[in-house]
Amino acid sequence: MAAPVRRLCHIAFHVPVGQPLAQDLQRIFGFQSLAAREADGWRQLALRSGDAVFLVNEGSGTREPLYGLDPRHAVPSATNLCFDVPDAGAAAQALAVRGCSVLVPPVSVRDAQGAVIYTVVSSPAGNLSLTLLERADYRGPFLPGFWPLPSATGRDWISHVDHLTLACTPGSSPTLMHWFRDCLGFHHLPLSPGEDPELGLEVAAESGQGGLRLTALQTPSGSTVPTLVLAESLQGTANGQDQVKQFLARHRGPGLQHVGLYTPDILKATEGVAMAGGQLLTPPDAYYQQPGKKNQILAAGHEPTRLAGQGVLLDGDKGKFLLQVFTKSLFAEDTFFLELIQRQGATGFGQGNIRALWQSVEEQHTRGQKAR
């Protein structure tokens, strides 16, 4: 591997002036302000919930924003993943040897709390760039160049980032998997026994037309990097509006489709998000009427009517369960969204829940077509 990553430091977004992402993350999802910076036409605001840190870059300056770059993408987007590395200079050199574009050569930034070195490189995943950060000697709450912000007592809904899902063009998953493996030290995480890493896991739609191919990647034990999931559409979707194709069209290319945020209490988190005005994706009516679903929910220690009332999906067996709920897009362009996830021993991503999400997107698309 060229530049093994050890930890996800933050996820960066680029939005135009006045876009309410930062306010929504605080008001709806319980994120707290961490640090801010205003310079060169940019307002950069770092927000935290547990160990999950989002950096919202608002504006369009003449110079690049600190710790990233402006991709000048057509729509608001999650544009950058920042990873901790032991040596940013060596990482940039090793990736350049492998043919990666070094978009920002290694640069040192210092303040009274210490110094960091960072570099920004391109990735093969659309407009998503990667910041590699060396910060072993920095003692501040975020990063040099930012001033700390006072934070009220936060809501404890979210503890960390569970996974990152990239929407990929059909057939591109093997190329991306090899890149993340060879360049950053990720390796294949089987989602089902005997899964071929080159093919991933195929999840067919209930209609039998189309479906998704998922390839999960993780870093070696000892790191705290979230699982990376590559998602692409299978051939045969009837109307071309599955969630991956929809993202590719509206985002205008591949990119970070959603972030899975781990919550220790999904019912509490979902109720709080809904009460704050968050919009959640509604599962199809038939989901909770599936044969055995009620018993499955009871076996996991939950009340079926409460899960149904809050739109929480549950999948799993043999004493291991996964609970999920998906938000609607955080942007008017109907692209990036969040997932709240709670694991009761399960390590996968809920094949049954993926089908339910698929069907929900299809039903909403059908309703939208009829309303026109």
Side-chain angles (χ1 to χ4, degrees), residues 10-14 37 42 44 55 57 63-72 79-82 103-105 107 109 118-121 127-133 142-143 146:
H10 64 256
I11 301 166
F13 299 78
H14 274 74
R37 175 181 181 267
W42 293 100
Q44 296 179 268
L55 176 61
N57 299 315
R63 298 178 61 185
E64 301 294 359
L66 201 58
Y67 303 107
L69 74 163
D70 180 8
R72 294 167 179 82
T79 56
N80 178 274
L81 300 177
C82 179
L103 305 174
V104 178
V107 57
V109 186
Y118 79 93
T119 185
V120 183
V121 300
N127 70 323
L128 188 69
S129 64
L130 305 173
T131 295
L132 305 179
L133 179 72
F142 184 55
L143 290 170
F146 284 72

Side-chain angles (χ1 to χ4, degrees), residues 29-369:
F29 299 99
F31 278 72
Q32 298 296 308
S33 55
L34 176 63
R37 175 181 181 267
E38 292 189 22
D40 305 319
W42 293 100
R43 182 173 188 270
Q44 296 179 268
L45 179 63
L47 303 160
R48 162 172 280 166
S49 182
D51 289 333
V53 179
F54 286 178
L55 176 61
V56 179
N57 299 315
E58 181 178 320
S60 183
T62 54
R63 298 178 61 185
E64 301 294 359
L66 201 58
Y67 303 107
L69 74 163
D70 180 8
R72 294 167 179 82
H73 197 62
V75 298
S77 181
T79 56
N80 178 274
L81 300 177
C82 179
F83 293 109
D84 176 72
V85 295
D87 188 327
Q93 184 176 12
L95 290 172
V97 169
R98 288 186 174 270
C100 300
S101 296
V102 179
L103 305 174
V104 178
V107 57
S108 177
V109 186
R110 177 180 293 274
D111 66 12
Q113 302 298 317
V116 302
I117 301 173
Y118 79 93
T119 185
V120 183
V121 300
S122 62
S123 87
N127 70 323
L128 188 69
S129 64
L130 305 173
T131 295
L132 305 179
L133 179 72
E134 179 186 341
R135 57 163 297 161
D137 298 326
Y138 189 66
R139 302 175 300 278
F142 184 55
L143 290 170
F146 284 72
W147 65 83
L149 292 174
S151 179
T153 301
R155 289 165 281 185
D156 57 351
W157 298 340
I158 296 162
S159 62
H160 62 276
V161 175
D162 179 86
H163 63 275
L164 308 160
T165 296
L166 302 179
C168 311
T169 54
S172 66
S173 291
T175 299
L176 267 66
M177 184 200 61
H178 293 157
W179 190 90
F180 280 99
R181 180 195 66 194
D182 297 341
C183 292
L184 301 182
F186 284 81
H187 61 87
H188 177 238
L189 170 65
L191 296 177
S192 65
E195 177 185 324
D196 186 335
E198 295 293 330
L199 299 177
L201 173 66
E202 292 190 2
V203 182
E206 289 187 353
S207 64
Q209 295 181 313
L212 295 179
R213 183 189 312 280
L214 302 177
T215 305
L217 306 172
Q218 65 180 9
T219 51
S221 59
S223 71
T224 57
V225 177
T227 301
L228 182 65
V229 182
L230 311 177
E232 66 173 67
S233 298
L234 297 174
Q235 298 298 321
T237 306
N239 58 21
Q241 289 299 317
D242 70 73
Q243 61 265 42
V244 173
K245 288 186 177 180
Q246 185 180 86
F247 177 92
L248 294 175
R250 295 179 177 175
H251 183 258
R252 305 186 191 181
L256 186 61
Q257 182 212 35
H258 77 267
V259 172
L261 297 173
Y262 191 86
T263 173
D265 188 339
I266 197 167
L267 294 175
K268 177 183 176 182
T270 301
E271 183 178 38
V273 167
M275 289 182 65
Q279 295 185 308
L280 304 175
L281 201 60
T282 305
D285 293 338
Y287 177 80
Y288 299 98
Q289 279 74 52
Q290 296 176 81
K293 179 57 69 176
K294 179 178 179 179
N295 289 337
Q296 185 185 44
I297 294 173
L298 290 171
H302 297 279
E303 172 56 48
T305 55
R306 188 176 182 193
L307 258 63
Q310 295 183 216
V312 176
L313 306 172
L314 182 144
D315 201 10
D317 59 9
K318 298 180 181 178
K320 297 181 178 180
F321 301 96
L322 178 75
L323 296 94
Q324 298 164 288
V325 66
F326 300 89
T327 73
K328 293 185 179 180
S329 175
L330 274 60
F331 300 131
E333 290 77 8
D334 197 15
T335 51
F336 177 85
F337 61 91
L338 294 175
E339 172 187 346
L340 301 179
I341 182 169
Q342 179 184 346
R343 297 181 182 276
Q344 295 180 195
T347 58
F349 293 94
Q351 296 182 44
N353 290 352
I354 294 168
R355 292 189 181 94
L357 175 63
W358 177 288
Q359 186 175 341
S360 181
V361 171
E362 293 287 284
E363 288 182 358
Q364 291 201 24
H365 171 72
T366 300
R367 288 196 296 267
Q369 293 289 88

